[in-house]
């Protein structure tokens, strides 16, 4: 079983350093800043809020954005664990939740906007809290699906021997979750958290400043600051905002993601120790710090033992009582499934009634938009493959290059392309093709990272023995690519393509319709149609566009990518 505790091999230092003294102060200061910033989220909402472009406001805006991202990620993590675990443990619920997840992840972020905003504005009339929660939930919808799929796949891939061992040791539900099921998904959760938070940054500007039914909703934050600076053509403010944004992403990468990635290595189920493992100075410091020893011994361990004790498996009840309990659970499950079915049918009938009033011209607009965006997604996929496959293989097969480039790639992937778009528009606005080319660039910047990270992982997974055999048989570079590298990375490549294509469809919403310096730049496409419909409050058009985009994504996944993925798993498994 896995042991998710502080690494027992690490040795605590017996000497106190200045860092050990500052560590608890830093933790207290961090909590204080979070609480103080969150207090700004209450109070009366000022309709038509104007973002101040003075640089003195940047720290406050950056902190408010950080708190929103932290809240959205926390909700995403809890949701992912619960959703995936229920789908994994219940055969009945898995038939409902997994197909539903496939549909939910295909719905673009801005399509959730009207329902979320109108519901929360009605729930908190005139209060800023309603708009804040709406913004956080919109960021959540851009983060959570990737993490949920990852954790569900990790749970489904637990070896049968470990499950049987947990049964032999008669572990209770909590002990099995804490020592086997949760650790099995830690590595995937950490890596997908990096990508999911990058997805949250991508829609930063849209989630802090949006228009609905000709009403502007703007919240103070880094995204709204960048958007206001772009609208005003204030290059100094744009540059300062980008510097602060990249600085925040770099700091988060150094203090959060790198330590977590290095820590997650202990949960890999490997029989041979890897030659190259991620390292983190922050994690090394925490593992040796006497302060962490005190926190671990006096706080974390007692809490862990108390929780384990409270969830410890009780003596088994009689078979009759177990049978009755099982019957009640089945009845409860069927009741919930019936309720969910009723909600789905009611929603479907309301949607049909709404769509029945949509004119033929709007349907024509949706069809043409779908065609143009589909062509754009195809071009983005080709460009992404040409760029990322050679780079990903180079990074994955060259440890020195990986040590240098991998952190840079992680940071670059987290910088939202939409934040760079004002800078690109300064040039693209005057180019032939205008936003039609700009949309392709933005969609490529927003989706190619999924392929790159998967290709790196695939190249790292190819056994070194196979490269040695290729060298012994004197295979040419072309033969190596055809017989070893491409088959080796193929399963990972297909996974990256599935997520990248979904990301490209979503990125079309931000890339095909841009408000810039008082002008509205549009490109013909489904993403542009969705954003325009949201702006003017044309709910039938918004619903029709969303349904068509979701159907295209789900249908492509089911008919093209999933069969290809099964083929990759069956035919291209590398075994030494």
């Amino acid at each position: 079983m896995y042991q998710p505790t502080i690494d027992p091999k690490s040795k605590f230092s017996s000497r106190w350093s200045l860092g050990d003294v500052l560590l608890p102060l830093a933790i207290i200061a961090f909590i204080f800043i979070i609480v103080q910033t969150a207090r700004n989220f209450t109070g009366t909402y000022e309709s038509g809020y104007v973002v101040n472009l003075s640089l003195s406001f940047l720290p406050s805006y950056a902190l408010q954005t950080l708190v929103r991202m932290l809240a959205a990620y926390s909700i995403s993590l809890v949701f992912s664990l619960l959703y995936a675990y229920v789908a994994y443990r219940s055969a009945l619920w898995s038939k409902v939740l997994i197909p539903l997840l496939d549909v939910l992840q295909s719905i673009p972020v801005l399509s959730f906007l009207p329902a979320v905003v109108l519901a929360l504005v009605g729930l908190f009339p005139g209060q800023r809290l309603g708009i804040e929660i709406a913004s956080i939930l919109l960021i959540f919808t851009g983060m959570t699906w990737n993490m949920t799929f990852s954790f569900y796949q990790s749970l489904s891939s637990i070896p049968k021997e470990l499950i049987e061992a947990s049964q032999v040791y008669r572990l209770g539900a909590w002990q099995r979750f804490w020592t086997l099921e949760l650790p099995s998904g830690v590595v995937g959760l950490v890596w997908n958290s990096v990508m999911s938070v990058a997805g949250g940054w991508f829609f930063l500007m849209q989630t802090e400043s949006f228009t609905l039914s000709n009403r502007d909703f703007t919240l103070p934050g880094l995204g709204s600051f960048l958007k206001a600076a772009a609208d005003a053509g204030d290059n100094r403010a744009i540059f300062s905002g980008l510097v602060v944004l990249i600085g925040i992403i770099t700091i988060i990468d150094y203090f959060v993601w790198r330590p977590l990635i290095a820590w997650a290595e202990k949960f890999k189920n490997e029989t041979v120790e890897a030659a190259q493992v991620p390292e983190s100075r922050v994690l090394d410091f925490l593992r040796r710090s006497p302060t962490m020893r005190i926190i671990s011994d006096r706080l974390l361990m007692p809490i862990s033992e108390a929780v384990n004790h409270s969830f410890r498996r009780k003596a088994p009840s009689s078979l009759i009582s177990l049978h009755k309990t099982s019957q009640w659970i089945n009845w409860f499950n069927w009741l919930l499934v019936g309720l969910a079915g009723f909600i789905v049918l009611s929603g479907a009938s309301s949607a049909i009634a709404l769509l029945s009033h949509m004119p033929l011209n709007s349907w024509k607009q949706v069809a043409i938009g779908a065609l143009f965006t589909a062509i754009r997604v195809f071009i983005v996929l080709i460009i992404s493959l040409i760029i990322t496959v050679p780079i990903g293989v180079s990074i994955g097969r060259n440890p020195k290059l990986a040590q240098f480039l991998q952190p840079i790639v992680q940071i670059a992937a987290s910088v939202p392309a939409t934040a760079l778009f004002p800078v690109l528009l300064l040039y693209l606005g005057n180019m032939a093709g205008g936003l039609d080319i700009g949309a392709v660039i933005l969609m490529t910047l927003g989706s190619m990272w999924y392929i790159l990270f998967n290709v790196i992982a695939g190249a790292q997974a190819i056994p070194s023995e196979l490269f040695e055999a290729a060298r012994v048989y004197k295979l040419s570079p072309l033969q190596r690519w055809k017989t070893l590298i491409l088959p080796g990375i193929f399963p990972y490549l297909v996974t990256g393509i599935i997520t990248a294509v979904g990301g490209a469809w979503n990125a079309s919403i931000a890339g095909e319709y841009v408000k810039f310096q008082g002008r509205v730049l549009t490109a013909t496409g489904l993403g542009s149609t969705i954003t325009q419909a949201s702006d003017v409050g044309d709910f039938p058009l918004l619903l029709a566009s969303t349904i068509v985009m979701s159907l295209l994504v789900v249908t492509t996944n089911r008919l093209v990518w999933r069969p290809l993925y099964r083929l990759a798993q069956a035919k291209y498994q590398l075994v030494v």
Side-chain angles (χ1 to χ4, degrees):
M1 299 296 160
Y2 303 95
Q3 293 296 323
T5 58
I6 291 178
D7 188 355
K9 294 181 181 178
S10 63
K11 295 180 179 179
F12 287 109
S13 172
S14 58
R15 294 183 178 179
W16 290 74
S17 64
L18 181 60
D20 298 316
V21 178
L22 294 178
L23 181 60
L25 298 178
I27 295 172
I28 294 171
F30 176 74
I31 296 172
F32 176 77
I33 291 172
I34 294 290
V35 173
Q36 285 294 105
T37 305
R39 290 178 64 184
N40 293 327
F41 291 1
T42 59
T44 305
Y45 177 69
E46 299 176 22
S47 181
Y49 176 82
V50 178
V51 176
N52 196 319
L53 294 180
S54 169
L55 300 188
S56 61
F57 282 77
L58 255 180
S60 172
Y61 289 162
L63 280 175
Q64 293 183 62
T65 295
L66 270 177
V67 171
R68 283 185 204 112
M69 294 290 287
L70 180 63
Y73 176 72
S74 302
I75 297 171
S76 300
L77 185 60
V78 173
F79 175 86
S80 300
L81 294 177
L82 289 175
Y83 194 102
Y85 191 72
V86 171
Y88 164 68
R89 293 304 297 267
S90 169
L92 175 64
W93 277 105
S94 69
K95 295 175 183 174
V96 177
L97 295 179
I98 298 306
L100 181 63
L101 187 61
D102 213 11
V103 174
L104 285 173
Q105 74 159 353
S106 67
I107 299 176
V109 171
L110 289 187
S111 294
F112 289 100
L113 188 67
V116 172
V117 173
L118 293 177
L120 289 169
V121 167
L123 195 61
F124 301 94
Q127 298 295 310
R128 179 176 162 180
L129 187 60
I131 310 298
E132 288 288 354
I133 296 175
S135 176
I136 290 169
L137 288 180
L138 288 174
I139 302 171
F140 157 80
T141 58
M143 285 185 177
T144 192
W145 317 124
N146 206 34
M147 296 165 59
T148 307
F149 256 129
S150 165
F151 190 52
Y152 176 76
Q153 288 173 352
S154 299
L155 291 173
S156 303
S157 304
I158 296 176
K160 290 181 180 178
E161 294 81 4
L162 292 179
I163 296 176
E164 289 172 357
S166 70
Q167 293 168 345
V168 169
Y169 286 105
R170 304 179 70 183
L171 298 184
W174 169 257
Q175 289 173 309
R176 175 171 158 167
F177 174 77
W178 186 246
T179 61
L180 174 62
E181 292 163 340
L182 179 60
S184 72
V186 166
V187 175
L189 272 177
V190 170
W191 278 103
N192 278 280
S193 292
V194 178
M195 289 306 305
S196 295
V197 172
W201 287 116
F202 186 86
F203 285 102
L204 182 65
M205 294 164 71
Q206 284 75 15
T207 52
E208 288 186 347
S209 180
F210 43 83
T211 303
L212 179 61
S213 301
N214 294 320
R215 290 177 62 191
D216 289 326
F217 296 91
T218 301
L219 292 168
L222 197 50
S224 57
F225 178 89
L226 282 167
K227 189 173 183 180
D231 286 342
D234 190 336
N235 295 332
R236 179 167 165 266
I238 293 174
F239 178 76
S240 303
L242 286 175
V243 168
V244 171
L245 177 60
I246 293 172
I248 290 173
I249 291 171
T250 306
I251 291 171
I252 291 175
D253 179 74
Y254 186 80
F255 284 99
V256 179
W257 297 131
R258 286 199 212 179
L260 280 176
I261 289 170
W263 172 77
E265 282 292 303
K266 64 188 286 187
F267 295 106
K268 280 188 175 178
N269 190 16
E270 293 179 332
T271 55
V272 179
E273 189 175 355
Q276 295 286 333
V277 294
E279 296 178 353
S280 165
R281 291 184 179 180
V282 174
L283 182 65
D284 291 342
F285 166 74
L286 292 175
R287 280 174 168 167
R288 294 183 174 87
S289 169
T291 304
M292 281 307 297
R293 179 186 57 193
I294 294 173
I295 294 175
S296 174
D297 292 346
R298 304 287 176 81
L299 183 63
L300 299 182
M301 290 301 293
I303 292 176
S304 175
E305 289 176 2
V307 172
N308 285 333
H309 180 73
S310 63
F311 283 101
R312 190 163 294 164
R313 186 178 182 181
K314 297 179 181 177
S317 305
S318 66
L319 291 176
I320 296 176
S321 64
L322 283 174
H323 180 67
K324 287 182 178 177
T325 305
S326 176
Q327 278 187 324
W328 276 109
I329 292 174
N330 283 337
W331 277 108
F332 183 68
N333 279 338
W334 278 112
L335 182 66
L336 288 179
V337 170
L339 182 62
F342 174 76
I343 293 172
V344 170
L345 288 176
S346 301
S349 62
S350 301
I352 292 171
L354 190 63
L355 292 176
S356 64
H357 300 292
M358 202 170 86
L360 188 60
N361 282 339
S362 296
W363 284 109
K364 188 178 175 183
Q365 181 184 355
V366 171
I368 294 173
L371 177 63
F372 273 82
T373 303
I375 294 171
R376 229 169 253 129
V377 168
F378 180 73
I379 295 171
V380 166
L381 179 61
I382 299 298
I383 294 174
S384 299
L385 288 172
I386 293 172
I387 294 175
T388 58
V389 170
I391 295 176
V393 171
S394 301
I395 293 176
R397 296 310 310 170
N398 189 331
K400 290 184 178 179
L401 192 64
Q403 194 172 5
F404 172 70
L405 281 183
Q406 202 156 317
I408 297 175
V409 169
Q410 286 176 24
I411 293 169
S414 299
V415 176
T418 48
L420 300 174
F421 213 45
V423 180
L424 294 174
L425 283 174
L426 291 174
Y427 303 96
L428 293 172
N430 299 321
M431 282 179 58
L435 197 61
D436 286 318
I437 296 176
V440 172
I441 295 173
L442 179 65
M443 290 161 66
T444 305
L445 290 173
S447 58
M448 69 177 186
W449 308 108
Y450 297 103
I451 301 178
L452 179 61
F453 277 106
N454 276 282
V455 171
I456 293 173
Q460 288 177 339
I462 298 175
S464 300
E465 292 86 342
L466 295 180
F467 278 94
E468 185 65 23
R471 191 186 65 80
V472 170
Y473 285 104
K474 298 181 179 179
L475 297 184
S476 66
L478 181 61
Q479 288 173 319
R480 290 188 188 190
W481 273 88
K482 287 174 63 178
T483 60
L484 176 59
I485 296 174
L486 286 179
I489 65 172
F490 191 69
Y492 297 86
L493 192 60
V494 175
T495 304
I497 288 173
I498 292 173
T499 48
V501 168
W505 279 100
N506 263 297
S508 69
I509 293 173
E512 293 178 346
Y513 183 91
V514 181
K515 291 180 178 175
F516 182 66
Q517 295 184 354
R519 295 182 295 162
V520 177
L521 305 177
T522 61
T524 304
L526 201 55
S528 172
T529 305
I530 288 176
T531 312
Q532 288 182 58
S534 175
D535 273 5
V536 301
D538 189 344
F539 298 125
L541 182 60
L542 177 62
L543 179 62
S545 308
T546 303
I547 289 174
V548 169
M549 182 176 283
S550 300
L551 282 176
L552 286 171
V553 175
V554 173
T555 304
T556 310
N557 283 348
R558 294 284 174 180
L559 298 183
V560 181
W561 305 124
R562 297 291 177 191
L564 209 57
Y565 184 71
R566 285 193 289 272
L567 172 69
Q569 284 187 316
K571 192 173 179 181
Y572 294 106
Q573 290 279 345
L574 284 175
V575 179
V576 182

